[in-house]
């Protein structure tokens, strides 16, 4: 499941980065949209990496560290969904109700699989229900916020920043998951990890077809 999560998030991170680069074309030249993306991705990655290392140095139990990883996964997905919400809101603001409704359905199908990735790190711990409620709100709530923002006042600059931060958060989580996979590379399960990673990429690609179709 962790390998599957890594594959799904790797695809999602690249997709988020591609969306940010696409939105950068609409940013005024002096603001340097590509530079904004680079700063947003790098800053978010290193801030979350510092938080992760601080948790490990604080002597938190492995279960607590895995729960923290689940929250960082939900945060990365939530920031990505914030950018998707901007697209939905912008479609409705332009009077394209059919397009907006289609995007809602497509993104919903695409995001269902991401719940597996959020729950995977804590599957053995069986955390309290409130954690699952909080994780779901953290991952899904920003889509609603993004829809409001996009519908009321869409801004390419905001879209680029949100997507860049989301990509940085996702790549940091993928980095953590890959470290766990490499640490277990000599075990018989390594082949399953590679297969799981590939399956995660394929799963996100297939569900993404509902959005791109």
């Amino acid at each position: 499941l962790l390998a599957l999560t890594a594959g799904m998030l790797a695809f999602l991170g690249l997709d988020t980065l591609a969306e940010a680069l696409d939105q950068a074309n609409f940013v005024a030249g002096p603001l340097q949209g590509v530079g904004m993306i680079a700063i947003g991705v790098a800053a978010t990655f290193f801030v979350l990496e510092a938080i992760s290392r601080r948790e490990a140095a604080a002597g938190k139990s492995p279960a607590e560290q895995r729960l923290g990883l689940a929250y960082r996964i939900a945060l990365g997905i939530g920031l990505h969904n914030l950018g998707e919400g901007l697209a939905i809101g912008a479609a409705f603001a332009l009077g394209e109700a059919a397009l907006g409704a289609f995007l809602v359905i497509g993104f919903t199908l695409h995001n269902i699989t991401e719940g597996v990735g959020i729950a995977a790190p804590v599957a053995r711990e069986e955390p309290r229900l409130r954690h699952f409620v909080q994780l779901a709100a953290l991952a899904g709530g920003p889509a609603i916020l993004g829809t409001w923002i996009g519908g009321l006042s869409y801004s390419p600059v905001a879209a680029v920043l949100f997507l860049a931060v989301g990509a940085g958060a996702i790549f940091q989580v993928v980095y953590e998951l890959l470290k766990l996979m490499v640490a277990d590379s000599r075990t018989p399960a390594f082949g399953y990890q590679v297969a799981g990673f590939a399956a995660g990429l394929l799963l996100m690609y297939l569900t993404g077809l509902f959005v791109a179709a």
Side-chain angles (χ1 to χ4, degrees), residues 173-196:
V173 172
V174 172
Y175 173 67
E176 285 197 40
L177 292 172
L178 290 178
K179 284 194 299 184
L180 293 175
M181 292 173 61
V182 171
D184 294 334
S185 61
R186 296 184 180 181
T187 67
F190 182 64
Y192 294 102
Q193 292 174 344
V194 173

mmCIF file of all heavy atoms in Angstrom, residues 173-196:
data_model
loop_
_atom_site.group_PDB
_atom_site.id
_atom_site.type_symbol
_atom_site.label_atom_id
_atom_site.label_comp_id
_atom_site.label_asym_id
_atom_site.label_seq_id
_atom_site.Cartn_x
_atom_site.Cartn_y
_atom_site.Cartn_z
ATOM 1 N N VAL A 173 6.545 14.115 0.452
ATOM 2 C CA VAL A 173 5.955 12.878 0.955
ATOM 3 C C VAL A 173 6.439 11.687 0.127
ATOM 4 O O VAL A 173 6.756 10.627 0.667
ATOM 5 C CB VAL A 173 4.413 12.971 0.936
ATOM 6 C CG1 VAL A 173 3.803 11.622 1.275
ATOM 7 C CG2 VAL A 173 3.928 14.026 1.917
ATOM 8 N N VAL A 174 6.512 11.866 -1.192
ATOM 9 C CA VAL A 174 7.028 10.796 -2.051
ATOM 10 C C VAL A 174 8.454 10.453 -1.653
ATOM 11 O O VAL A 174 8.837 9.275 -1.603
ATOM 12 C CB VAL A 174 6.959 11.205 -3.533
ATOM 13 C CG1 VAL A 174 7.674 10.176 -4.409
ATOM 14 C CG2 VAL A 174 5.510 11.348 -3.979
ATOM 15 N N TYR A 175 9.249 11.464 -1.344
ATOM 16 C CA TYR A 175 10.636 11.257 -0.914
ATOM 17 C C TYR A 175 10.691 10.402 0.350
ATOM 18 O O TYR A 175 11.495 9.468 0.455
ATOM 19 C CB TYR A 175 11.299 12.609 -0.676
ATOM 20 C CG TYR A 175 12.677 12.546 -0.082
ATOM 21 C CD1 TYR A 175 13.751 12.019 -0.809
ATOM 22 C CD2 TYR A 175 12.923 13.014 1.203
ATOM 23 C CE1 TYR A 175 15.018 11.964 -0.262
ATOM 24 C CE2 TYR A 175 14.191 12.965 1.753
ATOM 25 C CZ TYR A 175 15.237 12.437 1.021
ATOM 26 O OH TYR A 175 16.500 12.380 1.574
ATOM 27 N N GLU A 176 9.819 10.696 1.303
ATOM 28 C CA GLU A 176 9.786 9.903 2.535
ATOM 29 C C GLU A 176 9.385 8.457 2.256
ATOM 30 O O GLU A 176 9.975 7.512 2.802
ATOM 31 C CB GLU A 176 8.812 10.529 3.541
ATOM 32 C CG GLU A 176 9.322 11.786 4.212
ATOM 33 C CD GLU A 176 8.531 12.118 5.461
ATOM 34 O OE1 GLU A 176 8.191 11.179 6.211
ATOM 35 O OE2 GLU A 176 8.247 13.301 5.685
ATOM 36 N N LEU A 177 8.382 8.277 1.415
ATOM 37 C CA LEU A 177 7.925 6.924 1.098
ATOM 38 C C LEU A 177 9.003 6.141 0.351
ATOM 39 O O LEU A 177 9.207 4.951 0.613
ATOM 40 C CB LEU A 177 6.647 6.993 0.257
ATOM 41 C CG LEU A 177 5.404 7.531 0.974
ATOM 42 C CD1 LEU A 177 4.265 7.728 -0.011
ATOM 43 C CD2 LEU A 177 4.973 6.594 2.094
ATOM 44 N N LEU A 178 9.708 6.789 -0.565
ATOM 45 C CA LEU A 178 10.773 6.112 -1.309
ATOM 46 C C LEU A 178 11.923 5.720 -0.383
ATOM 47 O O LEU A 178 12.558 4.680 -0.582
ATOM 48 C CB LEU A 178 11.279 7.006 -2.445
ATOM 49 C CG LEU A 178 10.302 7.204 -3.608
ATOM 50 C CD1 LEU A 178 10.915 8.144 -4.646
ATOM 51 C CD2 LEU A 178 9.939 5.869 -4.255
ATOM 52 N N LYS A 179 12.190 6.540 0.629
ATOM 53 C CA LYS A 179 13.228 6.169 1.597
ATOM 54 C C LYS A 179 12.861 4.885 2.320
ATOM 55 O O LYS A 179 13.722 4.024 2.567
ATOM 56 C CB LYS A 179 13.437 7.304 2.613
ATOM 57 C CG LYS A 179 14.209 8.490 2.079
ATOM 58 C CD LYS A 179 14.686 9.404 3.190
ATOM 59 C CE LYS A 179 13.556 9.982 3.979
ATOM 60 N NZ LYS A 179 14.023 10.959 5.004
ATOM 61 N N LEU A 180 11.602 4.730 2.654
ATOM 62 C CA LEU A 180 11.150 3.495 3.303
ATOM 63 C C LEU A 180 11.290 2.311 2.359
ATOM 64 O O LEU A 180 11.685 1.215 2.759
ATOM 65 C CB LEU A 180 9.690 3.637 3.741
ATOM 66 C CG LEU A 180 9.389 4.638 4.851
ATOM 67 C CD1 LEU A 180 7.885 4.745 5.077
ATOM 68 C CD2 LEU A 180 10.089 4.243 6.135
ATOM 69 N N MET A 181 10.989 2.521 1.083
ATOM 70 C CA MET A 181 11.092 1.441 0.108
ATOM 71 C C MET A 181 12.539 1.023 -0.108
ATOM 72 O O MET A 181 12.858 -0.165 -0.174
ATOM 73 C CB MET A 181 10.460 1.877 -1.215
ATOM 74 C CG MET A 181 8.961 2.060 -1.162
ATOM 75 S SD MET A 181 8.288 2.777 -2.681
ATOM 76 C CE MET A 181 8.768 1.522 -3.870
ATOM 77 N N VAL A 182 13.438 2.004 -0.216
ATOM 78 C CA VAL A 182 14.859 1.701 -0.427
ATOM 79 C C VAL A 182 15.434 0.981 0.786
ATOM 80 O O VAL A 182 16.259 0.071 0.658
ATOM 81 C CB VAL A 182 15.646 2.996 -0.705
ATOM 82 C CG1 VAL A 182 17.144 2.729 -0.702
ATOM 83 C CG2 VAL A 182 15.230 3.580 -2.046
ATOM 84 N N ALA A 183 14.995 1.359 1.972
ATOM 85 C CA ALA A 183 15.487 0.714 3.188
ATOM 86 C C ALA A 183 15.140 -0.766 3.204
ATOM 87 O O ALA A 183 15.855 -1.584 3.793
ATOM 88 C CB ALA A 183 14.905 1.402 4.419
ATOM 89 N N ASP A 184 14.050 -1.143 2.522
ATOM 90 C CA ASP A 184 13.622 -2.538 2.493
ATOM 91 C C ASP A 184 13.952 -3.217 1.160
ATOM 92 O O ASP A 184 13.368 -4.228 0.813
ATOM 93 C CB ASP A 184 12.106 -2.629 2.722
ATOM 94 C CG ASP A 184 11.725 -2.173 4.122
ATOM 95 O OD1 ASP A 184 12.580 -2.266 5.009
ATOM 96 O OD2 ASP A 184 10.584 -1.717 4.296
ATOM 97 N N SER A 185 14.910 -2.637 0.406
ATOM 98 C CA SER A 185 15.164 -3.120 -0.951
ATOM 99 C C SER A 185 15.739 -4.534 -0.989
ATOM 100 O O SER A 185 15.678 -5.182 -2.030
ATOM 101 C CB SER A 185 16.126 -2.162 -1.665
ATOM 102 O OG SER A 185 17.367 -2.093 -0.983
ATOM 103 N N ARG A 186 16.297 -5.026 0.120
ATOM 104 C CA ARG A 186 16.891 -6.364 0.120
ATOM 105 C C ARG A 186 15.905 -7.435 0.560
ATOM 106 O O ARG A 186 16.258 -8.608 0.610
ATOM 107 C CB ARG A 186 18.123 -6.384 1.039
ATOM 108 C CG ARG A 186 19.246 -5.472 0.551
ATOM 109 C CD ARG A 186 20.478 -5.587 1.435
ATOM 110 N NE ARG A 186 21.551 -4.707 0.978
ATOM 111 C CZ ARG A 186 22.752 -4.638 1.566
ATOM 112 N NH1 ARG A 186 23.013 -5.374 2.637
ATOM 113 N NH2 ARG A 186 23.668 -3.807 1.088
ATOM 114 N N THR A 187 14.719 -7.039 0.858
ATOM 115 C CA THR A 187 13.729 -8.023 1.298
ATOM 116 C C THR A 187 12.998 -8.586 0.092
ATOM 117 O O THR A 187 12.954 -7.979 -0.975
ATOM 118 C CB THR A 187 12.707 -7.373 2.250
ATOM 119 O OG1 THR A 187 11.933 -6.436 1.499
ATOM 120 C CG2 THR A 187 13.398 -6.655 3.392
ATOM 121 N N PRO A 188 12.400 -9.774 0.236
ATOM 122 C CA PRO A 188 11.648 -10.350 -0.891
ATOM 123 C C PRO A 188 10.486 -9.480 -1.344
ATOM 124 O O PRO A 188 9.974 -9.652 -2.432
ATOM 125 C CB PRO A 188 11.142 -11.684 -0.319
ATOM 126 C CG PRO A 188 12.083 -11.996 0.802
ATOM 127 C CD PRO A 188 12.465 -10.675 1.388
ATOM 128 N N ALA A 189 10.069 -8.529 -0.488
ATOM 129 C CA ALA A 189 8.918 -7.696 -0.837
ATOM 130 C C ALA A 189 9.268 -6.585 -1.820
ATOM 131 O O ALA A 189 8.386 -5.866 -2.269
ATOM 132 C CB ALA A 189 8.322 -7.082 0.428
ATOM 133 N N PHE A 190 10.560 -6.425 -2.164
ATOM 134 C CA PHE A 190 10.952 -5.307 -3.015
ATOM 135 C C PHE A 190 10.262 -5.368 -4.373
ATOM 136 O O PHE A 190 9.858 -4.352 -4.928
ATOM 137 C CB PHE A 190 12.472 -5.290 -3.201
ATOM 138 C CG PHE A 190 12.968 -4.140 -4.038
ATOM 139 C CD1 PHE A 190 12.810 -2.839 -3.599
ATOM 140 C CD2 PHE A 190 13.575 -4.360 -5.267
ATOM 141 C CE1 PHE A 190 13.261 -1.769 -4.368
ATOM 142 C CE2 PHE A 190 14.026 -3.309 -6.037
ATOM 143 C CZ PHE A 190 13.867 -2.007 -5.584
ATOM 144 N N GLY A 191 10.130 -6.573 -4.918
ATOM 145 C CA GLY A 191 9.445 -6.716 -6.198
ATOM 146 C C GLY A 191 8.007 -6.240 -6.119
ATOM 147 O O GLY A 191 7.494 -5.611 -7.055
ATOM 148 N N TYR A 192 7.351 -6.510 -5.000
ATOM 149 C CA TYR A 192 5.981 -6.052 -4.816
ATOM 150 C C TYR A 192 5.936 -4.530 -4.689
ATOM 151 O O TYR A 192 4.963 -3.892 -5.109
ATOM 152 C CB TYR A 192 5.366 -6.698 -3.576
ATOM 153 C CG TYR A 192 5.177 -8.188 -3.704
ATOM 154 C CD1 TYR A 192 6.058 -9.076 -3.098
ATOM 155 C CD2 TYR A 192 4.122 -8.706 -4.448
ATOM 156 C CE1 TYR A 192 5.894 -10.447 -3.221
ATOM 157 C CE2 TYR A 192 3.947 -10.074 -4.576
ATOM 158 C CZ TYR A 192 4.839 -10.939 -3.961
ATOM 159 O OH TYR A 192 4.660 -12.286 -4.094
ATOM 160 N N GLN A 193 6.973 -3.955 -4.083
ATOM 161 C CA GLN A 193 7.025 -2.500 -3.953
ATOM 162 C C GLN A 193 7.127 -1.835 -5.326
ATOM 163 O O GLN A 193 6.445 -0.851 -5.599
ATOM 164 C CB GLN A 193 8.212 -2.102 -3.077
ATOM 165 C CG GLN A 193 8.054 -2.517 -1.622
ATOM 166 C CD GLN A 193 9.299 -2.236 -0.805
ATOM 167 O OE1 GLN A 193 10.365 -2.002 -1.352
ATOM 168 N NE2 GLN A 193 9.168 -2.269 0.513
ATOM 169 N N VAL A 194 7.980 -2.394 -6.184
ATOM 170 C CA VAL A 194 8.125 -1.847 -7.535
ATOM 171 C C VAL A 194 6.807 -1.984 -8.288
ATOM 172 O O VAL A 194 6.350 -1.054 -8.965
ATOM 173 C CB VAL A 194 9.263 -2.561 -8.289
ATOM 174 C CG1 VAL A 194 9.306 -2.108 -9.749
ATOM 175 C CG2 VAL A 194 10.600 -2.287 -7.611
ATOM 176 N N ALA A 195 6.183 -3.144 -8.165
ATOM 177 C CA ALA A 195 4.902 -3.363 -8.833
ATOM 178 C C ALA A 195 3.834 -2.419 -8.287
ATOM 179 O O ALA A 195 3.012 -1.880 -9.039
ATOM 180 C CB ALA A 195 4.457 -4.812 -8.659
ATOM 181 N N GLY A 196 3.846 -2.213 -6.969
ATOM 182 C CA GLY A 196 2.882 -1.304 -6.360
ATOM 183 C C GLY A 196 3.078 0.126 -6.829
ATOM 184 O O GLY A 196 2.110 0.843 -7.097
#
